[in-house]
Amino acid sequence: MAVFKPKFVTFDCYGTLIKFDMAPSAARHFSDRVSEADMPAFTADFSRYRFDEVLGAWKPYFDVVSNALQRTCKKWGVAWSPADSDAIYTDCASWGPHPDVPAGLAKVAQHVPLVLLSNSMDDLITHHIPRLGAPIHMAITAEETGAYKPQMRGFEYMLNKLGCGPDEILHVSSSLRYDLMTCYDMGITNKVFVNRGHDAPNPFYGYTEISGIDQLPSVLGL
């Protein structure tokens, strides 16, 4: 991707900027019911069911988490209670940024407005924005758009709200499945894949790959 000056740099938030600790949280809360050897497969199923849950009609993110957790427990024959869902969702508010995020974001923010497009709730994301270490021009949640990524609706809403076209932004994400595949389909040509090990790289989708947000300024020629 050639260096260019976007009108906005847009970001996925959780996983890309904020360390997404859903699996460790589930592992802690289910350590009394799932063996250490089985836990990676258990939490992988929890992740897959969350992805499935966001593909339908919008619902509060608590329901996404809780429904996915119940489906995982049913598959594994593990006891579930509402307290399990409450505890894991409550943990979400405690998450902080990856170590490479604050300095990299702060440098980019001096030159280009930063925008978040997040599969979050309005009240949940307020815990995380102050921890990013840089001014956020606009934060758009799935609650606001009425749709979760990877659906296109959130991206369409964001572009309309920003008043720009798909060729005028740079979108940054650590997930091909949730973000970058949809960006490709929508003609968002300027993309950065932050390889945090969430998804296997696939250069077909036309992105610049970095390992952390501290490398983002160089992508923009800063």
Side-chain angles (χ1 to χ4, degrees), residues 2 7 9 14 16 29 35 52 70 80 94 102 111 120 131 137 143 147 149 160 165 186 190-191 204 210 212 215:
K7 288 186 176 180
V9 181
Y14 300 108
T16 303
H29 290 293
S35 71
D52 190 65
Q70 292 176 64
W80 168 87
S94 69
H111 303 272
S120 188
R131 300 170 189 163
H137 172 74
E143 182 176 4
K149 298 178 293 181
N160 287 336
M186 293 187 63
N190 303 295
K191 302 179 287 294
F204 172 83
I210 60 176
Q215 297 173 9

Side-chain angles (χ1 to χ4, degrees), residues 24-203:
S25 178
R28 288 193 302 272
H29 290 293
F30 282 86
S31 61
D32 60 336
R33 284 159 280 177
V34 179
S35 71
E36 184 176 353
D38 286 339
M39 191 62 75
F42 179 85
T43 57
D45 280 338
F46 181 32
S47 175
R48 292 165 184 146
Y49 282 126
R50 288 197 310 275
F51 186 81
D52 190 65
E53 286 287 330
V54 301
L55 297 177
W58 185 87
K59 51 184 170 283
Y61 193 62
F62 175 84
D63 294 343
V64 170
V65 173
S66 185
N67 292 352
L69 189 61
Q70 292 176 64
R71 293 168 72 183
T72 305
C73 289
K74 181 178 180 180
K75 177 179 178 178
W76 283 80
V78 171
W80 168 87
S81 76
D84 295 318
S85 298
D86 291 341
I88 291 174
Y89 188 77
T90 298
D91 282 351
C92 296
S94 69
W95 299 342
H98 291 281
D100 55 83
V101 166
L105 275 190
K107 186 170 184 178
V108 174
Q110 294 174 19
H111 303 272
V112 189
L114 310 182
V115 175
L116 305 181
L117 178 63
S118 175
N119 278 0
S120 188
M121 300 289 289
D122 294 346
D123 60 349
L124 182 59
I125 202 167
T126 58
H127 294 281
H128 302 109
I129 290 176
R131 300 170 189 163
L132 293 175
I136 301 301
H137 172 74
M138 185 183 297
I140 300 170
T141 66
E143 182 176 4
E144 180 178 347
T145 67
Y148 289 103
K149 298 178 293 181
Q151 297 180 58
M152 290 182 176
R153 192 182 313 166
F155 288 96
E156 292 171 330
Y157 181 97
M158 178 181 71
L159 291 173
N160 287 336
K161 190 168 184 178
L162 294 174
C164 61
D167 59 336
E168 295 178 298
I169 66 168
L170 172 69
H171 190 70
V172 182
S173 177
S174 62
S175 177
L176 269 71
R177 296 183 76 191
Y178 277 94
D179 284 73
L180 298 182
M181 291 181 181
T182 303
C183 288
Y184 175 88
D185 290 342
M186 293 187 63
I188 298 173
T189 54
N190 303 295
K191 302 179 287 294
V192 169
F193 173 48
V194 187
N195 191 346
R196 299 200 187 278
H198 305 149
D199 291 339
N202 188 339

